[in-house]
């Protein structure tokens, strides 16, 4: 080769390499300048097949990738029962404008049941993390004793892990069965089959068939009547009315839920108090001193009864005395009136005498004063 050919070949290799580097940088520049938020989760099962760079999908749509895989103990000083997986999520695919909105939205989704579940990708055995909404009651977050550094989404067991747990449970159940138990079950099945065969052999098949046919005919008639009833237009109105009634009852129950709870609590308290009072009453009734007190009370009631009878007889006697006094007063009414009149005159005279004594005391004691002699009058 000539010297100029070497030069052209070298220039071509250099230009091709430079163009390749430029293409790689252009294609990968988006990955370097792309904004991502970190999310972490803790998985309590094997993550064999999950690698850094594995996709993270939300309902099948890729929203990020796995950025770190390790143990929780290496970061939070805990046991090795959990595998720590950190993911880089793209906020623009999740509809989050800033980091605070991302954290708030993720926390609300976790309360609604958002969980991370390892999922197998096809038949290759490669794992990826699938974000999906599950029942929060049956998929409760695992208990942790540390504060997560990044946004935290609890994990849920994978489908394969649940299948393995179910198979393990079935295997444990089968291994727990003894050979004698299996032989007993098989013997019971054989006995039941033999008894059924003997019944069919001894029973009159024709009569049994007639009975079955009669039952089927009655069932057909019943179904025909049900169809006639369902074809009635009133049934179409009945079902919505029943639905509205049930909805109204539901609203009433929901509106009075607090009252019902407080009523039940008060009823429980009342029953507890009644139970305590009943126990105390039983103790008091079982006390021997109560019998003595009851006997004393009985004798006291007897004395009160006797006193009441004596009082009743005394009242009758007093009534008789008052009746007699009333009759006596009625019989002597005229005499009493004359006595009262004389007493009135006596009091009037006594009053006049008192006034006279005030004016002329000596006259009351010695009598009338001597007659005054006028001049020229003879004695």
């Amino acid at each position: 080769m000539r010297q100029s050919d070497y030069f052209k070949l070298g220039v071509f290799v250099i230009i091709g390499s430079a163009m390749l580097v430029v293409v790689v940088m252009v294609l990968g520049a988006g990955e370097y300048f792309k904004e991502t938020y970190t999310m972490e989760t803790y998985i309590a099962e094997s993550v064999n097949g999950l690698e850094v760079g594995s996709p993270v999908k939300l309902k099948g749509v890729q929203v990020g990738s796995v950025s770190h895989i390790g143990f929780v103990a290496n970061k939070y000083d805990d046991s090795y029962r959990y595998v720590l997986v950190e993911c880089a999520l793209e906020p623009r695919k999740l509809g989050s404008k800033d980091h605070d909105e991302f954290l708030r939205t993720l926390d609300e989704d976790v309360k609604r049941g958002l969980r991370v579940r390892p999922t197998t990708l096809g038949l290759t055995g490669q794992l990826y993390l699938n974000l999906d909404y599950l029942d929060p009651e049956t998929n409760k977050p695992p208990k942790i004793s540390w504060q997560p550094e990044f946004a935290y989404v609890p994990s849920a067991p994978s489908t394969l892990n649940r299948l393995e747990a179910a198979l393990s449970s079935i295997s444990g159940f089968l291994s727990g069965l003894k050979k004698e138990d299996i032989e007993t079950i098989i013997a019971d099945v054989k006995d039941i089959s033999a008894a059924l065969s003997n019944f069919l052999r001894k029973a009159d098949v024709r009569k049994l068939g007639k009975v079955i046919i009669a039952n089927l005919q009655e069932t057909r008639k019943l179904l025909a009547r049900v169809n006639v009833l369902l074809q009635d237009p009133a049934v179409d109105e009945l079902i919505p009315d029943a639905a509205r009634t049930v909805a109204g009852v539901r609203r009433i129950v929901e509106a009075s839920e607090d009252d019902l709870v407080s009523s039940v609590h008060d009823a429980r308290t009342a029953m507890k108090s009644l139970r305590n009072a009943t126990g105390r009453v039983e103790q008091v009734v079982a006390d021997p001193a109560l019998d003595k007190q009851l006997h004393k009370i009985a004798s006291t009631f007897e004395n009160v009864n006797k006193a009441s009878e004596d009082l009743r007889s005394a009242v009758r006697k007093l009534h008789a005395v008052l009746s007699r006094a009333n009759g006596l007063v009625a019989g002597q009414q005229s005499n009493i009136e004359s006595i009262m009149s004389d007493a009135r005159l006596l009091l009037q005279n006594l009053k006049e005498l008192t006034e006279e004594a005030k004016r002329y005391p000596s006259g009351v004691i010695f009598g009338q004063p001597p007659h005054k002699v006028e001049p020229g009058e003879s004695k």
Side-chain angles (χ1 to χ4, degrees), residues 146-357:
W146 60 89
Q147 181 65 31
E149 180 181 359
F150 302 108
Y152 168 60
V153 176
S155 64
S158 62
T159 304
L160 182 60
N161 187 32
R162 293 187 178 184
L163 181 60
E164 290 178 354
L167 292 176
S168 177
S169 177
I170 295 172
S171 176
F173 173 75
L174 293 178
S175 62
L177 292 176
K178 298 180 180 178
K179 183 178 179 181
E180 295 80 3
D181 297 335
I182 297 176
E183 293 178 352
T184 303
I185 293 172
I186 295 175
D188 293 339
V189 172
K190 289 182 178 179
D191 293 338
I192 293 171
S193 300
L196 183 61
S197 178
N198 293 330
F199 172 74
L200 294 176
R201 190 181 299 110
K202 294 179 181 180
D204 191 351
V205 180
R206 292 183 178 179
K207 291 183 179 180
L208 185 61
K210 291 180 180 180
V211 172
I212 295 175
I213 292 172
N215 290 331
L216 291 176
Q217 290 177 352
E218 293 293 333
T219 305
R220 188 180 298 110
K221 292 179 182 180
L222 179 61
L223 293 175
R225 292 179 181 177
V226 171
N227 290 330
V228 172
L229 292 175
L230 292 178
Q231 292 175 359
D232 190 354
V235 176
D236 297 334
E237 299 178 357
L238 180 62
I239 294 176
D241 292 342
R244 286 193 295 269
T245 303
V246 172
V249 172
R250 183 180 300 169
R251 286 195 299 270
I252 292 173
V253 172
E254 291 177 354
S256 59
E257 183 178 0
D258 296 336
D259 296 336
L260 290 175
V261 172
S262 60
S263 299
V264 171
H265 182 267
D266 295 340
R268 289 179 179 176
T269 305
M271 291 299 296
K272 185 177 181 181
S273 301
L274 181 60
R275 192 180 298 110
N276 295 332
T278 304
R280 293 179 181 177
V281 170
E282 290 178 353
Q283 293 178 358
V284 172
V285 171
D287 191 0
L290 182 63
D291 295 335
K292 298 180 180 180
Q293 297 295 330
L294 291 176
H295 289 302
K296 292 181 180 180
I297 292 174
S299 61
T300 302
F301 280 143
E302 291 179 358
N303 296 330
V304 170
N305 191 13
K306 292 180 181 179
S308 300
E309 292 180 355
D310 295 339
L311 180 62
R312 192 178 296 110
S313 61
V315 169
R316 286 197 296 268
K317 292 179 181 179
L318 179 61
H319 182 69
V321 171
L322 292 177
S323 298
R324 293 178 182 177
N326 189 15
L328 180 61
V329 170
Q332 300 294 328
Q333 185 175 1
S334 58
N335 296 329
I336 291 173
E337 290 178 355
S338 61
I339 291 172
M340 294 298 294
S341 178
D342 294 340
R344 188 180 298 108
L345 293 175
L346 179 61
L347 291 173
Q348 186 177 1
N349 294 330
L350 183 59
K351 182 178 180 181
E352 293 177 354
L353 180 62
T354 304
E355 292 177 354
E356 183 69 22

Side-chain angles (χ1 to χ4, degrees), residues 39-42 75-76 84 86 103 144-154:
M39 179 206 76
E40 64 181 44
T41 186
Y42 318 117
K75 185 176 182 179
Y76 296 110
L84 171 64
E86 295 180 359
L103 294 177
I144 59 177
S145 59
W146 60 89
Q147 181 65 31
E149 180 181 359
F150 302 108
Y152 168 60
V153 176

Side-chain angles (χ1 to χ4, degrees), residues 79-182:
S79 62
Y80 288 89
R81 57 178 177 171
Y82 290 124
V83 176
L84 171 64
V85 179
E86 295 180 359
C87 307
L89 302 182
E90 301 179 24
R92 61 183 182 83
K93 292 185 178 181
L94 296 174
S96 300
K97 298 180 180 179
D98 53 15
H99 191 259
D100 293 336
E101 184 180 358
F102 168 74
L103 294 177
R104 183 173 61 256
T105 304
L106 200 64
D107 185 62
E108 293 176 356
D109 290 339
V110 168
K111 293 179 180 178
R112 290 169 50 195
L114 183 65
R115 298 293 183 268
V116 176
R117 175 180 288 179
T119 307
T120 305
L121 184 60
L123 299 176
T124 61
Q126 183 180 1
L127 292 180
Y128 71 94
L129 297 183
N130 186 27
L131 295 171
D132 201 354
Y133 293 92
L134 306 176
D135 186 5
E137 295 297 330
T138 57
N139 296 274
K140 294 183 178 180
K143 295 182 179 180
I144 59 177
S145 59
W146 60 89
Q147 181 65 31
E149 180 181 359
F150 302 108
Y152 168 60
V153 176
S155 64
S158 62
T159 304
L160 182 60
N161 187 32
R162 293 187 178 184
L163 181 60
E164 290 178 354
L167 292 176
S168 177
S169 177
I170 295 172
S171 176
F173 173 75
L174 293 178
S175 62
L177 292 176
K178 298 180 180 178
K179 183 178 179 181
E180 295 80 3
D181 297 335
I182 297 176

